[in-house]
Amino acid sequence: MIEIRLHGRGGQGAVTASRILATAAYEEGQYSQAIPMYGTERRGAPLTAFVRIDNQRVRERMLVHEPDISIVLDPLIAKQQGVVESLKAGGIVLLNTAMAPEEVKLGGDFKVATVDATTIALEVLGRPITNTAILGAFVKVTGALKLESIEKAIKKYFPGRLGDMNIAAVRRSYEEVKGPIQAVVKSGVQEKMDLNVGGYGVLKDVSSWRVFTPEVDVDKCISCKACWIFCPETAIQWDEAKKKPYIEYNKCKGCGVCANECPVKAIEMVRVEV
Ligand code: SF4
Ligand code: SF4
């Protein structure tokens, strides 16, 4: 049996990725199971999903506690979740990062592979939805499933042109993945596993959730307050003296609502450098 754990954020498609993997395995005549772990997640919040694949009936119904493969859809989530916690000896962690595997500060008896799924998703899909942009890499580094089966499964979830675009993302990640190599660095960054680290803007620092950061051009701003009204995290504050908004970045999850609502495009979403 192959057991897989996916780490992502609400909006990145981790749950859909788990379903695509399970469906692809089914297409190959295997037994499979996809288990989403829903809590109070919302867009940007860390979440986890699980997959089991076997050539005989899968009877386990619990969460995957000791995965063979850990798939990490978000470049920053390793700061919050123990992405290699309880990974089986000899297992693989596949990370969405622009770094090469040898630059990744993770150590232990497992292998590391990397792919810049965010860039692939942005360039192919136009949005940072990294689920399909990491699945081609999964096929290449694990050999657990065939590329054709993943593509067939994607067609079921995304018909038409959207399916073609997601398949293009899969193929590109298959070509661009680096590794796997043996992890050697003992960094101590991986601490106790917390599968479901939530967060609320007013209570916790959610700055690590961002793929994009809002930047306000106060010269363009016409002081309409739309961003202040619509920000779901109360990250936008109002400077009464200047009659302009400013952002408390520790509360900002990078959802882009403010930029969408601004009538004069005074807010630009700028990609976070990791
Ligand atoms: S991106 Fe804008 S709307 Fe979203 S949390 Fe940050 S400041 Fe608020
Ligand atoms: S929505 Fe745009 S114009 Fe209105 S206050 Fe915010 S930044 Fe200024």
Side-chain angles (χ1 to χ4, degrees), residues 199-220:
Y200 300 92
V202 292
L203 300 176
K204 294 187 180 180
D205 186 331
V206 294
S207 55
S208 66
W209 295 16
R210 292 197 297 268
V211 177
F212 290 91
T213 291
E215 287 185 2
V216 182
D217 181 342
V218 287
D219 294 330
K220 274 192 189 172

Side-chain angles (χ1 to χ4, degrees), residues 206 210 212-214 227 230-236 246-249 251-259 267 269:
V206 294
R210 292 197 297 268
F212 290 91
T213 291
C227 55
F230 283 101
C231 173
E233 303 293 333
T234 64
I236 298 202
Y246 66 93
I247 297 168
E248 285 187 356
Y249 282 104
K251 293 181 181 173
C252 170
K253 63 181 182 178
C255 65
V257 168
C258 52
I267 301 179
M269 299 301 292

Side-chain angles (χ1 to χ4, degrees), residues 139-152:
V139 169
K140 182 87 161 275
V141 299
T142 67
L145 293 168
K146 297 190 185 86
L147 205 54
E148 309 86 78
S149 322
I150 295 280
E151 294 182 3
K152 223 168 163 182

Side-chain angles (χ1 to χ4, degrees), residues 29-49:
Q30 303 201 67
Y31 293 89
S32 61
Q33 193 182 66
I35 309 171
M37 196 163 101
Y38 289 116
T40 54
E41 294 89 352
R42 63 203 196 282
R43 195 172 187 80
L47 62 83
T48 315

